[in-house]
Amino acid sequence: MKLNLKNPLVFFDLETTGTNIVTDRIVEISYHKVYPNGREETKTMRINPQMPISPTSTAIHGISDEDVKDCPTFKDVAKEIVRDIEGCDLAGYNSNRFDIPLLAEELLRADIDIDLMKRKFVDVQVIFHKMEQRTLSAAYKFYCHKDLTDAHTAEADTLATYEVLQAQLDRYPELQNDIDFLAKFTAQTNNVDFAGRIVYNEKGEEVFNFGKYKGKKVTDVFNTDIGYYGWMMSSDFSLHTKKVLTSIKLRNFNK
């Protein structure tokens, strides 16, 4: 089924040095941009992460330190990526939990302050898991009747994800061909930050989602224990979490 789009939709996939969104880095990014008029384009970049790639990750995606030693750094290509995804919604496979948070971290490390939270996110894995409970390779076989021969290469996974979403829309009449609907359908959390350290409560208020202040309003904690802000800013939390935290603090101060 052809996607019904108001904005361009960018399917993307990352290959990385590991699985920690705070400490690991991107070694390959591929994205497939689908325009409302049906035009499509694909771009893939290898990236020097400026840190060793774990052997476990190399075993999965096949990219070694030697393969990327002469490639540009993420900071070198960050502005190009931002230009390519400007005004676009984003889609991927397990992207809400991993790819989008890690991309946000890399952009902040490159001193690019882009508010990805304003975009709509469609996570094809969530649709699959809600409907069938399988992996991307199995999803590709199940929905598209093809074998994913190049699994765990960023471009193959990106294009397969695009095909799977189209097939899911064909298969499930209850899925609306509408990015607003799909973004809400695949949203798994009410996160304020990508890492889920701060969430919205039932009243739409920002509350901590971990530690001794779990369930407490962030602004209330700042009023009684401002040292908690300092502790979080100096600890190993994601850059996006710290950005959100600072925004809440400044907003509360300005009141």
Side-chain angles (χ1 to χ4, degrees):
M1 180 183 290
K2 181 180 176 182
L3 299 182
N4 180 22
L5 303 176
K6 297 183 182 71
N7 303 314
L9 182 62
V10 173
F11 292 81
F12 79 106
D13 185 70
L14 307 177
E15 304 302 342
T16 63
T17 59
T19 58
N20 187 311
I21 65 170
V22 176
T23 58
D24 280 304
R25 302 291 187 269
I26 296 170
V27 298
E28 186 175 70
I29 181 171
S30 183
Y31 41 95
H32 185 71
K33 190 171 182 177
V34 184
Y35 291 84
N37 65 5
R39 185 163 68 91
E40 302 177 17
E41 57 191 30
T42 303
K43 182 179 289 188
T44 301
M45 304 177 191
R46 286 275 176 93
I47 295 170
N48 182 343
Q50 300 179 291
M51 66 178 291
I53 303 172
S54 72
T56 302
S57 295
T58 295
I60 293 171
H61 52 55
I63 302 172
S64 66
D65 295 333
E66 181 67 20
D67 293 329
V68 294
K69 66 181 179 65
D70 296 322
C71 293
T73 66
F74 187 86
K75 192 164 188 175
D76 292 332
V77 299
K79 289 183 179 179
E80 179 181 354
I81 293 171
V82 168
R83 284 195 301 270
D84 287 341
I85 67 174
E86 184 178 2
C88 301
D89 298 318
L90 301 173
Y93 197 88
N94 194 33
S95 48
N96 285 356
R97 291 183 179 272
F98 183 72
D99 300 82
I100 289 171
L102 183 53
L103 178 62
E105 287 296 292
E106 289 278 42
L107 289 171
L108 287 169
R109 277 191 287 267
D111 298 320
I112 294 180
D113 188 3
I114 176 174
D115 189 359
L116 291 179
M117 279 292 191
K118 292 183 177 179
R119 310 299 176 87
K120 295 181 179 66
F121 308 130
V122 178
D123 193 329
V124 174
Q125 185 192 58
V126 176
I127 295 175
F128 189 36
H129 283 185
K130 282 186 174 182
M131 300 296 190
E132 304 295 344
Q133 305 290 315
R134 300 280 165 72
T135 64
L136 176 57
S137 294
Y140 196 56
K141 182 73 171 179
F142 183 86
Y143 290 111
C144 304
H145 311 292
K146 302 176 186 177
D147 292 318
L148 185 54
T149 54
D150 295 323
H152 299 301
T153 63
E155 185 170 320
D157 287 357
T158 295
L159 295 174
T161 300
Y162 173 41
E163 287 188 54
V164 168
L165 179 57
Q166 291 176 299
Q168 287 172 329
L169 289 168
D170 285 328
R171 186 178 184 88
Y172 304 114
E174 63 267 38
L175 293 179
Q176 298 176 26
N177 190 354
D178 177 80
I179 297 304
D180 287 347
F181 172 86
L182 294 172
K184 291 175 183 176
F185 187 82
T186 59
Q188 293 179 294
T189 67
N190 56 343
N191 290 0
V192 181
D193 66 319
F194 286 122
R197 297 293 188 173
I198 304 167
V199 298
Y200 292 108
N201 64 16
E202 65 279 0
K203 296 180 181 179
E205 301 165 328
E206 296 124 334
V207 299
F208 285 110
N209 194 36
F210 74 101
K212 64 180 181 179
Y213 290 124
K214 184 173 182 177
K216 301 291 186 183
K217 288 175 58 178
V218 176
T219 53
D220 288 347
V221 172
F222 286 170
N223 288 335
T224 59
D225 185 4
I226 192 60
Y228 200 66
Y229 169 80
W231 170 74
M232 287 191 67
M233 294 301 290
S234 62
S235 299
D236 191 23
F237 292 96
S238 74
L239 294 175
H240 189 254
T241 298
K242 293 176 181 180
K243 176 187 172 183
V244 168
L245 202 66
T246 300
S247 177
I248 296 171
K249 178 176 178 289
L250 291 174
R251 187 185 68 212
N252 192 46
F253 176 78
N254 290 332
K255 286 182 179 179

